């Protein structure tokens, strides 16, 4: 008889993750042009800049030894000061955000770690998180693992609707469930998967709504700004965090993965004072500090201006690719009725909607045809909604212009259109 390995409830709730399944599909369909991978453009990765930064950091043996030692849980104070100045520039803050205590700024392993730690800090099974529909599917998995009840809120071309958020909160109050609401999660810039940003008008409204319904317990708003700097048209919007004058409601998650290097994996969070200790204690259990060398690399390129120049290059490259994908979609889908897509002004994705009856999921006719016959892969849109949500749309796709060259994008969209037309029985 074999003894049974008993897994924790947390591990059991973490099973069947969308990201795991997607990666498996990517491996199984390695011969496809991938419009699925959300990876950063390989050509853009800053090899020279990283090499120089490491060489400079380790050029002095004594200083190098300190850098190769453990750091501290939230990241060393001098480095956090550098990240605070960077944030002040993003926020166009006149006095460099000197009034933001460094204790409220925590360096993390990418922003994903912050999303996970915040969830661990806030949710017992059954507690509620409100999300935009659709939203970042890895966070949906994190919430599911925490046992949270996930409630999607209507979002349109201007992001999550404050009126819909209010209606949901009112409804929960009527049902006597308001005290279970812990968090509103908003990807405020060029959302993964939809490419949509929350409009400037809506930003303070979402905050105000969150604050208004913080009654017997405080509801926090987690602003995930992962794609903030990948902006290709227009002016950057102020963060939702910037409207939170008392800094008691919004948690801001920032990352350098998309704009610099996911392999270095440095991010940081700005946290309301009330939650700092809980998140720090949880991080202490997890790693008592993210990779110290990596934090130094990012701080160095921020200080010496290399980062700012790099972001400019990355923007130019992605802008071209975004334009190529939109132009290819115009061309290839011109004669397909009922297809629409979002013209994202930033980020890495084009979100495409097919007619309701054309399902896009892993087990759909379209996914089979696209991956097996036409050799192109996309991310099924249904992953971006909770699995048990009855209104979950089944006819959307996330198309990434991150990894492919312009030629790869054009060929990928050509193949995708061929698959869609075949499934719809067009010409
Ligand atoms: C919306 C969003 N948030 C957070 C992350 C996490 O990225 P990282 O941990 O590399 O910062 C991603 C990665 O794809 C993302 O798309």
């Amino acid at each position: 008889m074999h003894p049974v390995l008993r897994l924790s409830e947390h591990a059991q709730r973490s099973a069947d993750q969308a990201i795991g399944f997607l990666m498996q599909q990517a491996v199984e369909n390695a011969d496809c042009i991938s419009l699925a991978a959300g990876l950063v453009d390989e050509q853009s990765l800053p090899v020279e800049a990283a090499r120089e930064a490491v060489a400079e950091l380790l050029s002095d043996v004594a200083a190098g030894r300190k850098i190769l030692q453990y750091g501290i849980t939230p990241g060393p104070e001098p480095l956090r000061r550098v990240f605070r100045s960077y944030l002040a520039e993003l926020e166009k803050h006149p006095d460099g955000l000197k009034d933001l205590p460094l204790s409220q700024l925590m360096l993390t392993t990418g922003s994903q770690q912050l999303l996970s730690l915040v969830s661990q800090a806030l949710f017992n099974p059954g507690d509620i998180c409100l999300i935009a529909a659709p939203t970042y599917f890895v966070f949906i998995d994190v919430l599911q693992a925490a046992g949270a009840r996930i409630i999607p809120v209507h979002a349109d071309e201007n992001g999550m609707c404050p009126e819909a958020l209010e209606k949901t909160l009112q409804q929960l109050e009527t049902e006597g469930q308001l005290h279970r609401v812990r968090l509103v999660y908003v990807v405020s810039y060029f959302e993964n998967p939809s490419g949509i940003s929350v409009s400037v008008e809506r930003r303070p409204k979402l905050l105000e709504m969150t604050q208004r319904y913080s009654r017997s317990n405080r509801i926090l708003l987690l602003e995930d700004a992962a794609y903030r700097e990948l902006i290709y048209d227009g002016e950057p919007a102020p963060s939702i965090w910037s409207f939170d004058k008392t800094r008691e409601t919004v948690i801001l998650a920032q990352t350098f993965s998309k704009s610099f290097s996911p392999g270095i994996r440095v991010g940081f969070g700005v946290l309301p004072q009330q939650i700092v200790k809980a998140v720090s204690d949880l991080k202490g259990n997890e790693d008592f500090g993210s990779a110290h060398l990596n934090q130094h690399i990012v701080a160095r390129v921020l200080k010496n201006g290399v980062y700012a120049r790099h972001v400019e290059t990355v923007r130019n490259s992605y802008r071209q690719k975004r334009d190529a994908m939109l132009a290819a979609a115009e061309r290839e889908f011109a004669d397909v009725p009922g297809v629409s897509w979002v013209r994202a002004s930033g980020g890495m994705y084009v979100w495409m909607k097919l007619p309701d009856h054309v399902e896009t999921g892993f087990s759909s006719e379209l996914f089979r045809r696209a991956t097996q016959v036409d050799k192109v892969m996309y991310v099924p849109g249904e992953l971006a909604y909770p699995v048990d949500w009855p209104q979950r749309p089944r006819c959307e796709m996330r198309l990434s212009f991150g990894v492919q060259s312009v030629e790869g994008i054009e060929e990928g969209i050509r193949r995708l259109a061929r698959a869609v037309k075949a499934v719809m029985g067009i010409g």
Side-chain angles (χ1 to χ4, degrees):
M1 210 177 95
H2 292 292
V4 177
L5 176 67
R6 302 225 180 263
L7 294 175
S8 70
E9 286 171 16
H10 190 265
Q12 291 176 47
R13 288 193 300 258
S14 298
D16 304 324
Q17 287 171 325
I19 186 78
F21 198 55
L22 187 60
M23 295 216 164
Q24 181 199 330
Q25 289 290 331
V27 172
E28 283 172 16
N29 296 296
D31 56 343
C32 289
I33 291 187
S34 179
L35 301 179
L39 302 180
V40 166
D41 177 5
E42 197 122 318
Q43 300 304 316
S44 79
L45 290 171
V47 175
E48 290 280 308
R51 187 193 302 130
E52 275 168 24
V54 172
E56 284 166 23
L57 288 166
L58 303 184
S59 63
D60 177 83
V61 173
R65 283 189 181 134
K66 287 207 164 61
I67 288 169
L68 293 178
Q69 189 54 275
Y70 281 119
I72 57 169
T73 304
E77 223 178 89
L79 297 189
R80 277 185 281 150
R81 199 164 284 123
V82 176
F83 287 85
R84 184 177 64 182
S85 302
Y86 155 81
L87 180 62
E89 270 181 43
L90 279 187
E91 298 289 346
K92 300 191 172 58
H93 198 273
D95 75 352
L97 279 175
K98 298 245 168 45
D99 61 329
L100 173 67
L102 288 172
S103 61
Q104 286 178 246
L105 197 149
M106 187 178 299
L107 305 191
T108 49
T109 305
S111 51
Q112 188 64 42
Q113 185 183 42
L114 185 75
L115 304 190
S116 168
L117 293 172
V118 164
S119 304
Q120 290 173 51
L122 291 180
F123 295 105
N124 280 320
D127 289 337
I128 296 170
C129 184
L130 305 179
I131 60 168
T135 200
Y136 175 43
F137 60 85
V138 183
F139 190 59
I140 294 181
D141 284 340
V142 169
L143 291 171
Q144 251 146 17
R149 182 176 160 207
I150 310 167
I151 303 185
V153 174
H154 179 66
D156 60 19
E157 67 281 4
N158 289 312
M160 186 188 277
C161 298
E163 297 74 21
L165 176 61
E166 171 152 49
K167 219 169 125 204
T168 309
L169 288 163
Q170 265 170 358
Q171 177 72 27
L172 287 164
E173 189 169 38
T174 310
E175 292 165 8
Q177 291 298 308
L178 189 60
H179 67 289
R180 300 300 303 262
V181 180
R182 296 282 174 273
L183 190 70
V184 178
Y185 172 68
V186 183
V187 183
S188 50
Y189 300 89
F190 321 114
E191 170 130 41
N192 173 5
S194 67
I196 287 169
S197 294
V198 178
S199 67
V200 177
E201 299 69 45
R202 283 188 181 176
R203 288 172 182 248
K205 288 187 185 159
L206 292 176
L207 171 66
E208 190 207 319
M209 215 56 77
T210 307
Q211 288 170 332
R212 194 185 304 163
Y213 284 83
S214 285
R215 304 238 168 95
S216 60
N217 68 280
R218 188 181 292 286
I219 305 173
L220 297 181
L221 188 154
L222 173 53
E223 177 176 23
D224 180 341
Y227 297 90
R228 180 173 192 170
E229 291 185 274
L230 300 189
I231 172 168
Y232 317 131
D233 313 313
E235 286 300 307
S239 62
I240 301 177
W241 177 79
S242 69
F243 293 99
D244 183 14
K245 297 303 174 205
T246 61
R247 297 189 182 137
E248 287 176 314
T249 303
V250 179
I251 300 167
L252 174 64
Q254 291 277 160
T255 178
F256 298 92
S257 286
K258 311 295 174 184
S259 54
F260 196 65
S261 160
I264 293 177
R265 209 75 195 276
V266 170
F268 68 92
V270 183
L271 303 157
Q273 194 64 59
Q274 270 195 328
I275 196 180
V276 168
K277 184 170 180 316
V279 172
S280 177
D281 290 345
L282 288 160
K283 185 166 164 58
N285 286 346
E286 207 157 276
D287 62 12
F288 45 90
S290 300
H292 194 200
L293 171 63
N294 297 10
Q295 297 172 346
H296 273 275
I297 294 173
V298 176
R300 162 93 25 170
V301 296
L302 286 175
K303 273 198 299 200
N304 66 14
V306 167
Y307 175 78
R309 287 197 294 281
H310 179 75
V311 172
E312 208 42 58
T313 325
V314 168
R315 272 193 207 118
N316 290 335
S317 154
Y318 280 133
R319 183 183 294 111
Q320 252 188 357
K321 290 177 179 228
R322 188 270 321 253
D323 290 346
M325 185 171 271
L326 291 174
E330 293 286 350
R331 254 190 332 269
E332 305 296 335
F333 284 90
D335 52 347
V336 189
V339 180
S340 60
W341 55 90
V342 176
R343 286 193 58 86
S345 311
M348 280 169 38
Y349 310 106
V350 169
W351 182 241
M352 187 175 272
K353 208 177 220 143
L354 301 178
D356 288 347
H357 67 280
V358 185
E359 294 203 357
T360 56
F362 286 127
S363 51
S364 68
E365 167 68 9
L366 178 64
F367 192 80
R368 192 201 56 75
R369 162 88 206 198
T371 52
Q372 289 175 25
V373 179
D374 296 295
K375 300 287 174 198
V376 60
M377 193 175 146
Y378 59 85
V379 173
E382 62 195 52
L383 299 189
Y385 305 94
V387 202
D388 55 358
W389 190 44
Q391 295 105 294
R392 178 163 78 137
R394 314 301 285 263
C395 59
E396 295 160 321
M397 297 183 277
R398 189 194 80 175
L399 309 175
S400 168
F401 49 82
V403 273
Q404 296 295 335
S405 62
V406 165
E407 296 69 37
I409 289 169
E410 288 171 347
E411 179 57 21
I413 294 290
R414 196 172 302 128
R415 293 181 186 193
L416 186 63
R418 205 187 304 142
V420 169
K421 286 181 201 171
V423 169
M424 290 177 69
I426 299 172

